[in-house]
Amino acid sequence: MENTLSPHLFSPFTVRSVTLRNRIGMSPMCQYSATDGFANDWHFVHYGARAVGGAGLIIVEATGVAPEGRITPGCLGLWSDQHIEPLARIAKFVKERGAVAGIQIAHAGRKASADLPWQGGAHLSEAQGGWPTIAPGALPFGDPLTKVPRAMTAADILRVQNDFVATAKRALTAGFNWLELHAAHGYLFNSFLSPLTNQRTDNYGGSFANRTRLLLDTTRAVRQVWPDQLPLAVRISAIDWKAGGWQIEDSIALVKLLKAEGVDLIDTSSGGLVPDAKIEVKPGYQVPFAEQIRHGANLATAAVGFITDAKPADEIIRSGQADMVLLARQLLANPYWPAHAAKALGQKITPPNQYLRAW
Ligand SMILES: Cc1cc2nc3c(=O)[nH]c(=O)nc-3n(C[C@H](O)[C@H](O)[C@H](O)COP(=O)(O)O)c2cc1C
């Protein structure tokens, strides 16, 4: 945790050899706009605009480590070398605009093979362009994700780990300098972590040590190929919002182990595991989790979720609740949120030359 000297929203943040120009990151957000996993002009403009708008970190959306690991047929993928080039173009532009280029790599597990949200988001049969799903066990998520996943074999587990490692290498080749593993929202890693979704009886289920094994082993393998000088982050669901599920104490215990594997920052989200979770959504509702993990495990955190205004965002940093904030919907609505926030807080950020007369 560098920069502990009164950091605020617009102070730089250094993780390993990478320095963010401020503490505002673009939260990963699926665009459901790819064909066969390939990034296109939509993605280029979408991510490029937020880098122009002043964010310190751009995290490219959940990007599948395998075709069957995509949430929808429109999700990005990086399971082949052919996927590198259009992502490299995005990473290059983001960096030219002074932001750090990050990417979230993911496997959607039992929530994969869904239709695009604006087409209803239900599971797709193979005839409709969907595919068979895998998970810790043969437990479906529930309406409208009704597909029964196949319980993963030892060979599946090994393959998924290898897919994460190969994808991390490709992300590096594409020029990304910040990597995030998606272990939240009920996707594959998350479904191994929680006792609600992991009922395995082998050494990947049962005890806390067994349920965390897949994520920890994969993190260790990824860290070996992801350079020492570059940050590695993990997004987790800090709690399931359900009795009998994963609790904040579990998160703190997990984060201590992730830290020992070379993870630098925890992107602190919550929920998404089961459909009947009772989530108490209100402004900054997940910030206390980021704070508890930051202090409980002594690791940097990013706070995310319903952070809308400059002042509270700044306060999250000033009060030491988190090291940075990630914004999702606010940045969709306004790519220039960081520029406006700087003005509201009396901070100066340098606009691109082309926009000098506007900011
Ligand atoms: C359109 C959309 C797509 C999203 N896709 C992802 C994703 O790819 N990976 C992820 O971890 N979270 C995803 N999320 C969750 C956001 O990253 C974020 O955690 C959530 O929206 C709360 O932040 P907000 O209140 O600033 O929107 C998505 C959210 C939205 C609105």
Side-chain angles (χ1 to χ4, degrees), residues 30 32 55 57 60-61 87 135 139 142 217 229 241 278 298 302:
C30 298
Y32 315 105
L57 171 66
V60 167
E61 69 201 70
L87 284 170
L139 279 175
D217 284 355
Q229 70 272 20
W241 297 100
K278 300 267 175 295
N298 197 26

PDB file of all heavy atoms in Angstrom, residues 30 32 55 57 60-61 87 135 139 142 217 229 241 278 298 302:
ATOM      1  N   CYS A  30     -19.163  -5.979 -19.477  1.00  0.00           N
ATOM      2  CA  CYS A  30     -19.458  -6.698 -20.722  1.00  0.00           C
ATOM      3  C   CYS A  30     -20.197  -5.787 -21.681  1.00  0.00           C
ATOM      4  O   CYS A  30     -21.128  -5.085 -21.285  1.00  0.00           O
ATOM      5  CB  CYS A  30     -20.378  -7.886 -20.436  1.00  0.00           C
ATOM      6  SG  CYS A  30     -19.672  -9.104 -19.350  1.00  0.00           S
ATOM      7  N   TYR A  32     -21.204  -7.255 -24.730  1.00  0.00           N
ATOM      8  CA  TYR A  32     -22.039  -8.200 -25.487  1.00  0.00           C
ATOM      9  C   TYR A  32     -22.050  -7.853 -26.971  1.00  0.00           C
ATOM     10  O   TYR A  32     -23.079  -7.973 -27.642  1.00  0.00           O
ATOM     11  CB  TYR A  32     -23.479  -8.188 -24.923  1.00  0.00           C
ATOM     12  CG  TYR A  32     -23.553  -8.236 -23.415  1.00  0.00           C
ATOM     13  CD1 TYR A  32     -23.865  -7.100 -22.665  1.00  0.00           C
ATOM     14  CD2 TYR A  32     -23.310  -9.425 -22.727  1.00  0.00           C
ATOM     15  CE1 TYR A  32     -23.929  -7.147 -21.273  1.00  0.00           C
ATOM     16  CE2 TYR A  32     -23.378  -9.481 -21.342  1.00  0.00           C
ATOM     17  CZ  TYR A  32     -23.684  -8.336 -20.633  1.00  0.00           C
ATOM     18  OH  TYR A  32     -23.760  -8.383 -19.257  1.00  0.00           O
ATOM     19  N   ALA A  55      -9.879   8.594 -16.869  1.00  0.00           N
ATOM     20  CA  ALA A  55      -9.738   7.512 -15.881  1.00  0.00           C
ATOM     21  C   ALA A  55      -8.271   7.076 -15.799  1.00  0.00           C
ATOM     22  O   ALA A  55      -7.539   7.118 -16.798  1.00  0.00           O
ATOM     23  CB  ALA A  55     -10.616   6.324 -16.266  1.00  0.00           C
ATOM     24  N   LEU A  57      -7.334   3.987 -14.829  1.00  0.00           N
ATOM     25  CA  LEU A  57      -7.258   2.569 -15.193  1.00  0.00           C
ATOM     26  C   LEU A  57      -8.491   2.204 -16.009  1.00  0.00           C
ATOM     27  O   LEU A  57      -9.609   2.567 -15.637  1.00  0.00           O
ATOM     28  CB  LEU A  57      -7.207   1.705 -13.916  1.00  0.00           C
ATOM     29  CG  LEU A  57      -7.349   0.192 -14.072  1.00  0.00           C
ATOM     30  CD1 LEU A  57      -6.157  -0.399 -14.827  1.00  0.00           C
ATOM     31  CD2 LEU A  57      -7.472  -0.491 -12.693  1.00  0.00           C
ATOM     32  N   VAL A  60     -10.747  -3.781 -19.264  1.00  0.00           N
ATOM     33  CA  VAL A  60     -11.579  -4.383 -20.308  1.00  0.00           C
ATOM     34  C   VAL A  60     -12.438  -5.490 -19.685  1.00  0.00           C
ATOM     35  O   VAL A  60     -11.983  -6.233 -18.808  1.00  0.00           O
ATOM     36  CB  VAL A  60     -10.690  -4.912 -21.469  1.00  0.00           C
ATOM     37  CG1 VAL A  60     -11.473  -5.805 -22.416  1.00  0.00           C
ATOM     38  CG2 VAL A  60     -10.058  -3.738 -22.215  1.00  0.00           C
ATOM     39  N   GLU A  61     -13.661  -5.536 -20.145  1.00  0.00           N
ATOM     40  CA  GLU A  61     -14.695  -6.471 -19.663  1.00  0.00           C
ATOM     41  C   GLU A  61     -14.243  -7.932 -19.540  1.00  0.00           C
ATOM     42  O   GLU A  61     -13.245  -8.348 -20.156  1.00  0.00           O
ATOM     43  CB  GLU A  61     -15.850  -6.433 -20.660  1.00  0.00           C
ATOM     44  CG  GLU A  61     -15.481  -7.050 -22.021  1.00  0.00           C
ATOM     45  CD  GLU A  61     -16.393  -6.583 -23.143  1.00  0.00           C
ATOM     46  OE1 GLU A  61     -16.309  -5.400 -23.524  1.00  0.00           O
ATOM     47  OE2 GLU A  61     -17.196  -7.400 -23.631  1.00  0.00           O
ATOM     48  N   LEU A  87      -7.402  -6.476 -29.557  1.00  0.00           N
ATOM     49  CA  LEU A  87      -7.254  -6.038 -28.156  1.00  0.00           C
ATOM     50  C   LEU A  87      -5.982  -5.222 -27.989  1.00  0.00           C
ATOM     51  O   LEU A  87      -5.942  -4.252 -27.223  1.00  0.00           O
ATOM     52  CB  LEU A  87      -7.241  -7.247 -27.217  1.00  0.00           C
ATOM     53  CG  LEU A  87      -8.604  -7.897 -26.956  1.00  0.00           C
ATOM     54  CD1 LEU A  87      -8.438  -9.221 -26.217  1.00  0.00           C
ATOM     55  CD2 LEU A  87      -9.521  -6.957 -26.170  1.00  0.00           C
ATOM     56  N   ALA A 135     -19.314 -26.719 -14.085  1.00  0.00           N
ATOM     57  CA  ALA A 135     -19.389 -26.112 -12.749  1.00  0.00           C
ATOM     58  C   ALA A 135     -18.848 -27.124 -11.740  1.00  0.00           C
ATOM     59  O   ALA A 135     -18.563 -28.272 -12.100  1.00  0.00           O
ATOM     60  CB  ALA A 135     -20.843 -25.765 -12.434  1.00  0.00           C
ATOM     61  N   LEU A 139     -25.520 -28.491 -10.531  1.00  0.00           N
ATOM     62  CA  LEU A 139     -26.558 -27.656  -9.914  1.00  0.00           C
ATOM     63  C   LEU A 139     -26.819 -26.450 -10.802  1.00  0.00           C
ATOM     64  O   LEU A 139     -25.929 -25.608 -10.970  1.00  0.00           O
ATOM     65  CB  LEU A 139     -26.051 -27.099  -8.583  1.00  0.00           C
ATOM     66  CG  LEU A 139     -26.083 -27.915  -7.323  1.00  0.00           C
ATOM     67  CD1 LEU A 139     -25.412 -27.144  -6.186  1.00  0.00           C
ATOM     68  CD2 LEU A 139     -27.523 -28.225  -6.954  1.00  0.00           C
ATOM     69  N   GLY A 142     -30.631 -21.366 -11.730  1.00  0.00           N
ATOM     70  CA  GLY A 142     -32.052 -21.065 -11.499  1.00  0.00           C
ATOM     71  C   GLY A 142     -32.543 -20.075 -12.528  1.00  0.00           C
ATOM     72  O   GLY A 142     -31.746 -19.393 -13.168  1.00  0.00           O
ATOM     73  N   ASP A 217      -4.578 -22.164  -6.788  1.00  0.00           N
ATOM     74  CA  ASP A 217      -3.659 -22.850  -7.715  1.00  0.00           C
ATOM     75  C   ASP A 217      -3.562 -22.077  -9.027  1.00  0.00           C
ATOM     76  O   ASP A 217      -2.480 -21.938  -9.608  1.00  0.00           O
ATOM     77  CB  ASP A 217      -4.160 -24.268  -8.031  1.00  0.00           C
ATOM     78  CG  ASP A 217      -3.907 -25.243  -6.896  1.00  0.00           C
ATOM     79  OD1 ASP A 217      -3.257 -24.843  -5.903  1.00  0.00           O
ATOM     80  OD2 ASP A 217      -4.374 -26.400  -6.998  1.00  0.00           O
ATOM     81  N   GLN A 229       6.869  -7.300 -12.363  1.00  0.00           N
ATOM     82  CA  GLN A 229       6.717  -5.841 -12.255  1.00  0.00           C
ATOM     83  C   GLN A 229       5.289  -5.374 -12.537  1.00  0.00           C
ATOM     84  O   GLN A 229       5.002  -4.187 -12.403  1.00  0.00           O
ATOM     85  CB  GLN A 229       7.733  -5.104 -13.150  1.00  0.00           C
ATOM     86  CG  GLN A 229       7.515  -5.199 -14.647  1.00  0.00           C
ATOM     87  CD  GLN A 229       8.196  -6.418 -15.263  1.00  0.00           C
ATOM     88  OE1 GLN A 229       8.523  -7.387 -14.574  1.00  0.00           O
ATOM     89  NE2 GLN A 229       8.403  -6.385 -16.570  1.00  0.00           N
ATOM     90  N   TRP A 241     -24.558 -12.619   0.306  1.00  0.00           N
ATOM     91  CA  TRP A 241     -25.853 -12.052   0.738  1.00  0.00           C
ATOM     92  C   TRP A 241     -26.871 -13.162   0.974  1.00  0.00           C
ATOM     93  O   TRP A 241     -28.046 -13.039   0.636  1.00  0.00           O
ATOM     94  CB  TRP A 241     -26.413 -11.057  -0.308  1.00  0.00           C
ATOM     95  CG  TRP A 241     -25.580  -9.846  -0.549  1.00  0.00           C
ATOM     96  CD1 TRP A 241     -24.722  -9.631  -1.577  1.00  0.00           C
ATOM     97  CD2 TRP A 241     -25.548  -8.635   0.254  1.00  0.00           C
ATOM     98  NE1 TRP A 241     -24.153  -8.376  -1.473  1.00  0.00           N
ATOM     99  CE2 TRP A 241     -24.645  -7.746  -0.376  1.00  0.00           C
ATOM    100  CE3 TRP A 241     -26.200  -8.219   1.432  1.00  0.00           C
ATOM    101  CZ2 TRP A 241     -24.362  -6.471   0.128  1.00  0.00           C
ATOM    102  CZ3 TRP A 241     -25.923  -6.953   1.924  1.00  0.00           C
ATOM    103  CH2 TRP A 241     -25.011  -6.100   1.270  1.00  0.00           C
ATOM    104  N   LYS A 278     -30.409 -11.693  -0.872  1.00  0.00           N
ATOM    105  CA  LYS A 278     -31.096 -10.451  -0.460  1.00  0.00           C
ATOM    106  C   LYS A 278     -30.041  -9.346  -0.357  1.00  0.00           C
ATOM    107  O   LYS A 278     -29.395  -9.180   0.670  1.00  0.00           O
ATOM    108  CB  LYS A 278     -31.772 -10.648   0.894  1.00  0.00           C
ATOM    109  CG  LYS A 278     -32.831 -11.754   0.903  1.00  0.00           C
ATOM    110  CD  LYS A 278     -34.217 -11.196   0.619  1.00  0.00           C
ATOM    111  CE  LYS A 278     -35.292 -12.284   0.503  1.00  0.00           C
ATOM    112  NZ  LYS A 278     -35.146 -13.208  -0.630  1.00  0.00           N
ATOM    113  N   ASN A 298      -4.682  -6.551   5.067  1.00  0.00           N
ATOM    114  CA  ASN A 298      -3.565  -5.647   4.777  1.00  0.00           C
ATOM    115  C   ASN A 298      -3.140  -5.723   3.309  1.00  0.00           C
ATOM    116  O   ASN A 298      -1.980  -5.918   2.985  1.00  0.00           O
ATOM    117  CB  ASN A 298      -2.386  -5.970   5.707  1.00  0.00           C
ATOM    118  CG  ASN A 298      -1.382  -4.829   5.729  1.00  0.00           C
ATOM    119  OD1 ASN A 298      -1.752  -3.681   5.471  1.00  0.00           O
ATOM    120  ND2 ASN A 298      -0.132  -5.145   5.994  1.00  0.00           N
ATOM    121  N   ALA A 302      -9.936  -2.075  -4.239  1.00  0.00           N
ATOM    122  CA  ALA A 302     -10.729  -1.147  -5.031  1.00  0.00           C
ATOM    123  C   ALA A 302     -12.165  -1.289  -4.549  1.00  0.00           C
ATOM    124  O   ALA A 302     -12.651  -2.405  -4.363  1.00  0.00           O
ATOM    125  CB  ALA A 302     -10.636  -1.480  -6.506  1.00  0.00           C
TER     126      ALA A 302
END
